[in-house]
Amino acid sequence: MRAYVVGGSAVKVDRHFELGYRDLAYSVLSSCEVCGDAEYVVVASALPELMAHQVDLGVHIVQWAGRRVPVVRVESGESSGIAAVEVATSLIRSGAARKVVVLGVEKVTEYPTYIANRMYSLILDYEFEVLRGVSPPVYAALAMRELLRAGFGRECFSNWAVRMHENALRIPHAMLRFRISPESFKDAQVLAEPVTLYDSFALGDGASAIALSSEPTGHEVAVEIVYSSSEVGLPAYARDRISELQASTKLLKQLRERFGVDLRKVAVELHDSYTPYPIALLHSLGYIDTRCDLGELEFVNLSGGLKARGHPIGATGVYQVYEVFKLLTGGFDGVSVGSEVGVVHSMSGPDNVSRVLLLRRWK
Amino acid sequence: MKLSVPQFWRVRESLYKILLTKCLACGRVSVFKRPVCPYCGSARVVHEESQGVGVVENFTKVYYKQDSSEDRLPEVVAVVRLSEGVRIVGEVVGVKVDGVREGMVVEAVLRRYASDDPYGVIYYGIKFKPLKQDSTQ
């Protein structure tokens, strides 16, 4: 049995102080025209216990939406969204359900940012890393320093962020729809030297839903989930280099070797929580050298990426799949790609786990 | 930061000592006491305590505010290559934040991580400070 994305929807990533988990979930389900007759719901969310004191979130969302379908919640840190798509795809392929809705939802603005930072840092190993003062931007800073020593210029990372903001201008659900310049980095708030706020993802609340079906016919458009794979990497402190994203590199190389995927020719959404990571990844795959010319990678992160579309932690992967689905089937307000193929890459922490999906337009 | 009493009791050894896991199958050494080798997956491992001396290989000055760190910022977190050949990440203290540099020889010390409240548990753990014999300071 094959699995197809047949539609979806997304709420603008933003500070939705007036909306809770259930409200955001209901909002996106209501706007998803093809999500109505699902036989199963898979909810992706990373932080509801910490942010909203809520266990078994999926059940409470389905009850709130007035439905009685079975539901399960999937949590795998920042990669929860793609992990949920993996589970939903398995449900379809096994024949357990003919139609499954994957719903990513996250609240990150329930507390002041410094408390949200603390909660977000728990994607790392609490006892071995967090207790010792290690946080995600610390690893990003150490990775950037490694890349700077390897010959990359600081402007390489700034240019990534500038481009993501430029891309986000045309994406309706993106959080940061404004331009920045490389010069603005000089005054940006430092998180961990040399990483600044402008090198970091935008933290926002969000919800996105996609509908998966075993049957592409009868739908206006459909995109097949051709392949999915995931890999757990070494802890960052156990690597020779923190910027060595072995799991992500291996998975994307597999896509190239098995399916002939060239990231210069397909729609790609890369996990760019911090600017060093996509640069390190594209370098290890051989797409860029230390001069950091991104010119040929025109279809990479047309959404604006985590940097500018925003990163509602556990929901982000569902946004990525929705965006690639849209790009392969018509696009956003004039943003489209000529390719029939799309790739989604997600990871949690600095490559602690990496996940990829290969998508292909069916019609 | 609030650890439960059982969790605090469980993790005390890894907070107060740098324990290493030596793999008898592949020969690699990893940091922390582990049941299996993270590199080859073998359970044929033995544990030993590090001497706690190493060299700063990489570091960052941290301003990222979390709810247990705001009274200490900025702080320096470094990758330290221990004399046993493995790396560990930890905070460097006992030196001005602008005084830390790559190649600096450091030693492990016990320092306060955080406390629950004025009357609560004080959490101590391993940090690093410049080794006195490091004449290059």
Side-chain angles (χ1 to χ4, degrees), chain A residues 130-350:
Chain A
V130 178
L131 270 178
R132 293 160 203 273
V134 182
S135 58
V138 164
Y139 277 139
L142 295 170
M144 189 187 283
R145 283 175 60 98
E146 289 174 359
L147 294 168
L148 291 169
R149 276 195 297 226
F152 286 91
R154 182 63 179 87
E155 67 281 1
C156 172
F157 309 99
S158 314
N159 289 343
W160 177 273
V162 169
R163 181 162 158 174
M164 291 304 106
H165 277 255
E166 190 72 31
N167 287 349
L169 286 173
R170 297 186 292 176
I171 303 301
H173 59 262
M175 184 174 184
L176 305 181
R177 299 178 70 188
F178 57 84
R179 289 188 175 89
I180 60 170
S181 67
E183 291 72 39
S184 55
F185 276 72
K186 291 174 197 152
D187 301 320
Q189 180 188 338
V190 177
L191 300 180
E193 285 181 352
V195 165
T196 73
L197 194 62
Y198 282 14
D199 293 294
S200 167
F201 64 86
L203 189 62
D205 305 324
S208 181
I210 54 169
L212 267 57
S213 173
S214 60
E215 184 49 68
T217 56
H219 299 282
E220 226 171 89
V221 287
V223 167
E224 184 181 355
I225 298 178
V226 177
Y227 177 77
S228 66
S229 188
S230 57
E231 173 106 355
V232 170
L234 276 172
Y237 57 78
R239 300 174 201 159
D240 289 337
R241 289 183 294 114
I242 288 162
S243 58
E244 196 174 38
L245 309 179
Q246 280 185 346
S248 295
T249 303
K250 179 181 169 184
L251 292 175
L252 288 162
K253 276 187 176 170
Q254 277 176 355
L255 290 186
R256 182 160 63 195
E257 287 157 11
R258 289 186 59 180
F259 300 96
V261 171
D262 183 339
L263 298 189
R264 291 166 295 197
K265 296 175 179 169
V266 303
V268 191
E269 285 297 319
L270 293 181
H271 183 99
D272 62 337
S273 51
Y274 296 94
T275 55
Y277 297 142
I279 299 301
L281 186 54
L282 292 168
H283 180 246
S284 66
L285 290 166
Y287 289 109
I288 58 172
D289 58 22
T290 53
R291 286 171 295 176
C292 207
D293 181 3
L294 299 170
E296 290 188 333
L297 293 153
E298 58 180 319
F299 301 141
V300 174
N301 285 16
L302 288 176
S303 70
L306 281 64
K307 174 73 200 83
R309 174 239 295 117
H311 184 26
I313 315 294
T316 298
V318 186
Y319 275 88
Q320 291 175 302
V321 178
Y322 170 65
E323 287 152 356
V324 170
F325 165 80
K326 287 285 284 180
L327 289 167
L328 297 180
T329 59
F332 295 98
D333 297 338
V335 184
S336 61
V337 295
S339 172
E340 293 186 345
V341 174
V343 169
V344 177
H345 161 255
S346 177
M347 62 184 195
S348 191

Side-chain angles (χ1 to χ4, degrees), chain B residues 39-127:
Chain B
Y39 300 105
C40 74
S42 171
R44 290 179 54 226
V45 295
V46 292
H47 302 111
E48 59 186 45
E49 187 174 350
S50 165
Q51 293 180 1
V53 176
V55 174
V56 172
E57 278 197 345
N58 194 356
F59 67 93
T60 175
K61 200 194 303 183
V62 183
Y63 297 85
Y64 186 68
K65 189 177 173 186
Q66 301 185 110
D67 61 352
S68 67
S69 65
E70 55 269 27
D71 58 341
R72 308 200 294 263
L73 297 180
E75 62 189 9
V76 172
V77 176
V79 177
V80 174
R81 180 184 278 274
L82 298 169
S83 56
E84 292 85 359
V86 297
R87 295 182 182 82
I88 187 170
V89 183
E91 191 182 341
V92 180
V93 296
V95 58
K96 289 181 179 174
V97 289
D98 291 324
V100 179
R101 53 188 164 64
E102 289 168 16
M104 176 180 267
V105 180
V106 293
E107 62 179 340
V109 286
L110 270 186
R111 289 289 184 272
R112 188 174 74 97
Y113 278 179
S115 57
D116 285 341
D117 59 57
Y119 304 97
V121 175
I122 301 173
Y123 302 98
Y124 287 90
I126 296 286
K127 295 185 182 182

Side-chain angles (χ1 to χ4, degrees), chain A residues 58-137:
Chain A
V59 168
H60 299 292
I61 285 173
V62 167
Q63 287 178 336
W64 188 247
R67 302 188 189 188
R68 297 288 181 269
V69 294
V71 60
V72 66
R73 175 184 153 222
V74 174
E75 187 274 308
S76 183
E78 294 178 283
S79 74
S80 299
I82 302 303
V85 175
E86 287 177 7
V87 170
T89 305
S90 297
L91 287 167
I92 298 275
R93 286 181 177 153
S94 69
R98 286 167 299 178
K99 191 168 188 184
V100 180
V101 164
V102 184
L103 168 67
V105 60
E106 202 76 271
K107 286 290 301 176
V108 293
T109 59
E110 301 288 58
Y111 293 95
T113 304
Y114 68 92
I115 294 178
N117 289 345
R118 181 74 181 177
M119 295 173 179
Y120 165 63
S121 290
L122 298 177
I123 61 169
L124 302 180
D125 187 306
Y126 182 68
E127 293 176 2
F128 289 165
E129 294 173 311
V130 178
L131 270 178
R132 293 160 203 273
V134 182
S135 58

